[in-house]
């Protein structure tokens, strides 16, 4: 009867309609990347989609052995990750990925800003802290080579505040010694030695610094301390 036929016909038409939609979308399902590409074209203000697509591009860039392709992928990834972070400033994954992408592009200023944001959002996650430290270290060296010493020193100091480290303290000591600010250099080497009091290289550096600043007695005392660490006392009674 007609009353029985209508529901069946309606169900058939609905099924056919969705079948057409599925066929139209099948090319997008060829891969997750193409699916996100399709969705992002119509949802440009979705921070989640922007982050997903940017992260995919970043992952592709990091495994690419073609320098030009790697650079192109990184630039594309940065665009989407920056947009994700802008749309959703407290989006931790977006801030983390944007910081990494900017770092690999050598855009240390942007990388530091992104990692600072990620570290504020989730300071307990080691990835944000590690990323920030790398960005500050490399950013500091970049600005030293660029002649912007003030900014480099600022970044090295910030790295020390995030996590005291002998490499940072030694780098700052080197800078102050080169500029003949011996008291500052001495202070930073002493900070390094509080972290590694038996480090022979640090002791040698402090001795050399005293000698350069015209304090030979202090240099001698440090060398004596260095020799004491090199001397290994005999063990055992010499018997069996």
């Amino acid at each position: 009867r007609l009353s029985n036929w209508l529901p069946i016909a309606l169900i058939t038409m609905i099924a056919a309609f969705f079948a057409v939609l599925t066929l139209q979308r099948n090319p997008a399902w060829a891969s997750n990347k193409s699916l996100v590409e399709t969705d992002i074209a119509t949802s440009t203000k979705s921070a989640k989609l922007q982050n997903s697509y940017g992260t995919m591009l970043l992952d592709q860039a990091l495994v690419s052995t073609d320098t030009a392709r790697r650079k192109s992928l990184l630039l594309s990834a940065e665009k989407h990750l920056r947009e994700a972070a802008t749309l959703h400033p407290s989006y931790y994954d977006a801030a983390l990925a944007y910081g990494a992408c900017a770092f690999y592009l050598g855009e240390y200023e942007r990388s530091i800003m992104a990692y600072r944001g990620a570290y504020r959002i989730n300071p307990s996650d080691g990835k944000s802290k590690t990323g920030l430290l790398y960005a500050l270290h490399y950013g500091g060296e970049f600005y030293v080579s660029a002649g912007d010493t003030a900014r480099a020193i600022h970044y090295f100091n910030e790295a020390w505040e995030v996590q005291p480290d002998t490499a940072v303290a030694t780098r700052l000591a080197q800078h102050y010694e080169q500029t003949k600010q011996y008291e500052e250099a001495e202070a930073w080497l002493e900070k390094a030695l509080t972290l590694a009091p038996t480090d022979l290289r640090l002791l040698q550096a402090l001795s050399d610094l005293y000698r350069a600043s015209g304090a030979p007695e202090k240099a001698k005392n440090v060398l004596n301390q260095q020799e004491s660490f090199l001397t290994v006392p005999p063990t055992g009674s010499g018997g069996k």
Side-chain angles (χ1 to χ4, degrees):
R1 290 188 304 177
L2 184 61
S3 58
N4 292 331
W5 178 82
L6 283 174
I8 297 173
L10 184 60
I11 292 171
T12 303
M13 289 173 62
I14 292 172
F17 172 73
F18 281 108
V20 171
L21 288 182
T22 300
L23 289 172
Q24 289 176 342
R25 187 154 180 149
N26 270 340
W29 288 348
S31 69
N32 192 36
K33 179 173 176 287
S34 61
L35 176 61
V36 174
E37 285 176 340
T38 300
D39 289 341
I40 207 171
T42 56
S43 303
T44 58
K45 296 302 180 183
S46 169
K48 185 176 181 180
L49 284 174
Q50 293 285 355
N51 179 64
S52 295
Y53 189 50
T55 301
M56 289 178 190
L57 292 171
L58 174 60
D59 289 342
Q60 286 185 348
L62 296 183
V63 298
S64 176
T65 56
D66 185 315
T67 303
R69 175 171 165 74
R70 176 186 170 96
K71 180 71 176 290
S72 176
L73 286 167
L74 285 172
L75 289 171
S76 296
E78 185 197 31
K79 174 186 173 183
H80 292 283
L81 294 171
R82 183 174 67 246
E83 182 67 12
T86 301
L87 288 168
H88 194 336
S90 61
Y91 192 174
Y92 177 68
D93 288 346
L96 202 64
Y98 180 37
C101 188
F103 177 85
Y104 286 113
L105 280 169
E107 297 177 356
Y108 300 116
E109 187 78 16
R110 291 184 180 183
S111 180
I112 289 167
M113 290 178 65
Y115 277 128
R116 279 176 184 155
Y119 189 50
R120 282 193 297 268
I121 296 167
N122 190 0
S124 63
D125 186 3
K127 293 191 291 293
S128 59
K129 183 177 181 180
T130 300
L132 178 57
L133 287 170
Y134 268 101
L136 289 168
H137 277 282
Y138 278 80
E141 294 297 345
F142 172 80
Y143 284 111
V144 166
S145 63
D148 192 344
T149 306
R151 185 174 298 189
I153 295 302
H154 175 75
Y155 286 158
F156 288 137
N157 274 289
E158 184 178 346
W160 175 266
E161 290 171 8
V162 173
Q163 180 174 293
D165 177 77
T166 57
V168 174
T170 303
R171 189 68 184 85
L172 285 163
Q174 289 173 348
H175 163 73
Y176 287 117
E177 182 178 5
Q178 289 168 359
T179 56
K180 300 190 184 303
Q181 300 178 66
Y182 295 120
E183 289 184 5
E184 287 287 343
E186 179 184 339
W188 278 107
L189 281 177
E190 287 176 348
K191 287 180 181 180
L193 281 164
T194 61
L195 299 176
T198 62
D199 190 313
L200 299 180
R201 290 173 300 178
L202 290 175
L203 288 167
Q204 184 64 55
L206 184 59
S207 176
D208 293 342
L209 175 64
Y210 282 139
R211 190 174 293 104
S213 63
E217 284 302 315
K218 285 186 176 182
K220 183 178 179 181
N221 290 337
V222 172
L223 283 178
N224 289 337
Q225 184 180 355
Q226 185 181 28
E227 288 173 3
S228 71
F229 289 126
L230 289 170
T231 304
V232 181
T235 58
S237 62
K240 295 180 180 178

